[in-house]
Amino acid sequence: MKILISAGPTREKIDPVRFLSNRSSGKMGYALAEAVRDAGHEAILISGPVTLPPPAMVELIKVESAAEMAQAVKQQAREADVIIMAAAVADYRPVKVHTNKMKKQAGNLILELERTEDILASLGKIKTDGQLLVGFAAETNNVIEYATDKLKRKNLDWIIANDVSASDRGFATENNAVTMISATGRIIELPLDNKYNIARSIIAHLLNY
Ligand code: PMT
């Protein structure tokens, strides 16, 4: 099977030296790509800027912004049997990208932001028969409720609820703990473990091993 995975943060430029981003290290997405490869499937990894080494035997496509990630994901999506969006894609980007470095000025600075494309929601609208569409939901509160809402709203087959309120899991940690929720009402808890083992369990459940 051809399995497409997105990983890492995106960077939304303010000027040539500044950007808006988040704390995603890419570890969860890279672990998923390795688990896919190790299960004998073709892994295509679309990654925002991270410091991780490229995984062996995985096709790696590097992107920077949410717009670049949307373009790369949509280009590959048609051929994919499974799509897993583990990337922490920015929801907003600056309306204006300054050509030159912005100079300090007296008083406050107000940045106007506009919405980026919701890649997963776009994929949910064009999902092909038999394609499995999987999202992550990084939440600090009402984790299961908000994740279930994303599952329905984005027309997903599975959502992986990631409680990111604790310091031992989620963003930029070695370990993770998640709850997998399917559109058919299955709920699978994966307790705290290293991200590779969590990734292996996720792939096994998605593909019914
Ligand atoms: O990278 P690590 O440091 O290992 O951390 C892992 C992680 C916490 C980043 C990862 O496990 C995780 O939870 N990823 C999703 C983070 C996120 O952006 O969640 P969200 O609830 O904001 O988005 C919901 C889903 O929509 C996600 O699948 C996201 O990829 C997708 N999305 C979001 C915004 C957008 N513009 N387009 C999208 O496709």
Side-chain angles (χ1 to χ4, degrees):
M1 274 202 259
K2 188 165 170 169
I3 304 187
L4 184 62
I5 299 131
S6 72
T10 63
R11 284 182 183 172
E12 311 304 323
K13 269 191 185 164
I14 297 171
D15 70 11
V17 298
R18 302 183 178 95
F19 52 80
L20 298 174
S21 192
N22 60 67
R23 291 178 49 234
S24 171
S25 64
K27 284 179 186 165
M28 191 66 245
Y30 277 55
L32 282 161
E34 286 167 356
V36 163
R37 173 202 65 200
D38 295 346
H41 301 288
E42 182 185 351
I44 299 172
L45 178 60
I46 299 180
S47 175
V50 299
T51 56
L52 301 171
M57 314 278 288
V58 166
E59 187 184 340
L60 176 64
I61 301 169
K62 292 185 184 176
V63 297
E64 195 145 316
S65 64
E68 286 175 18
M69 183 165 284
Q71 194 188 19
V73 168
K74 286 195 283 186
Q75 234 165 43
Q76 299 289 332
R78 215 186 305 259
E79 305 293 315
D81 299 295
V82 182
I83 303 171
I84 310 174
M85 285 290 295
V89 185
D91 289 320
Y92 294 91
R93 66 171 164 240
V95 169
K96 181 174 166 51
V97 180
H98 292 257
T99 319
N100 297 316
K101 186 182 169 208
M102 288 170 72
K103 302 303 285 177
K104 265 202 297 288
Q105 44 186 336
N108 296 341
L109 170 71
I110 295 171
L111 268 183
E112 192 184 351
L113 305 179
E114 64 186 3
R115 285 288 305 270
T116 58
E117 177 178 350
D118 188 323
I119 305 167
L120 199 49
S122 300
L123 294 175
K125 291 185 187 135
I126 54 166
K127 191 165 69 170
T128 56
D129 275 353
Q131 190 175 57
L132 208 62
L133 189 56
V134 184
F136 268 73
E139 308 289 352
T140 55
N141 56 311
N142 302 331
V143 177
I144 300 301
E145 182 193 333
Y146 290 160
T148 306
D149 176 60
K150 282 176 183 164
L151 171 79
K152 291 181 183 152
R153 202 159 28 85
K154 301 191 188 197
N155 190 27
L156 309 179
D157 299 291
W158 287 88
I159 189 97
I160 300 171
N162 210 163
D163 184 344
V164 293
S165 64
S167 58
D168 61 353
R169 63 197 66 184
F171 284 93
T173 52
E174 292 307 315
N175 298 328
N176 210 358
V178 298
T179 306
M180 299 178 66
I181 306 166
S182 82
T184 57
R186 287 183 67 198
I187 297 184
I188 301 164
E189 299 279 356
L190 302 180
L192 196 68
D193 203 341
N194 67 61
K195 284 183 175 169
Y196 179 73
N197 285 342
I198 294 285
R200 276 175 53 123
S201 298
I202 290 173
I203 298 303
H205 286 297
L206 291 180
L207 303 183
N208 277 323
Y209 288 165

